[in-house]
Amino acid sequence: MTPTEVTREKALSTVNQYLTAIADATSTEQIAILYAEGATVQDPVGSDPICGRKAIAAFFTPLIHTRRETELLNFRHSGDSAAFHFRVRTYTADGVVTIEPFDVMTFDVEGHITSTKAYWSPEDVRMS
């Protein structure tokens, strides 16, 4: 393992912590703490990158005020990166919003997320 590689176990653990935080967090800091200080988020890919832990915390603010469920559907790891497919269900007054994005994350040696790229588009959002 080279210094920039992260073990599969560490990457999977961070992804699982991330999905748990997306589902259960009561504050945005519970999600942002998983990110390295200078991390970036592009959600969805093609949007302007969000840079830094404070901005990432602000990005997740709307999520905190809803009931959510997450489920890991598929996971792949290589070097300092992981790609994973997951489901998020968000319960709103208008119904349940479901999306199944593909995310690609990179990690530092401690397992903090250094970047996230979320692959989805509005056509992928389902309402029930």
Side-chain angles (χ1 to χ4, degrees):
M1 187 166 71
T2 66
T4 58
E5 287 185 8
V6 174
T7 65
R8 176 183 173 82
E9 293 76 22
K10 177 68 85 176
L12 182 57
S13 174
T14 300
V15 166
N16 281 324
Q17 289 174 56
Y18 172 78
L19 294 179
T20 297
I22 293 297
D24 299 336
T26 56
S27 77
T28 58
E29 290 75 27
Q30 292 170 292
I31 301 169
I33 197 68
L34 298 171
Y35 284 86
E37 240 355 280
T40 60
V41 171
Q42 223 180 352
D43 188 352
V45 168
S47 62
D48 290 334
I50 300 155
C51 301
R53 211 183 257 170
K54 187 175 181 179
I56 291 168
F59 171 76
F60 284 109
T61 297
L63 199 65
I64 298 304
H65 304 290
T66 60
R67 189 176 127 226
R68 297 130 2 244
E69 297 173 352
T70 59
E71 178 184 1
L72 182 62
L73 302 173
N74 214 323
F75 175 86
R76 297 291 183 271
H77 165 260
S78 183
D80 70 345
S81 303
F84 57 101
H85 179 210
F86 65 105
R87 178 178 300 124
V88 179
R89 286 190 184 99
T90 304
Y91 296 82
T92 71
D94 297 326
V96 180
V97 179
T98 302
I99 186 166
E100 295 182 2
F102 290 83
D103 278 15
V104 175
M105 288 181 170
T106 58
F107 308 94
D108 64 19
V109 292
E110 288 84 31
H112 290 102
I113 304 163
T114 56
S115 69
T116 299
K117 289 188 174 186
Y119 292 85
W120 65 275
S121 66
E123 294 83 11
D124 300 318
V125 178
R126 296 186 316 270
M127 186 76 152
S128 58

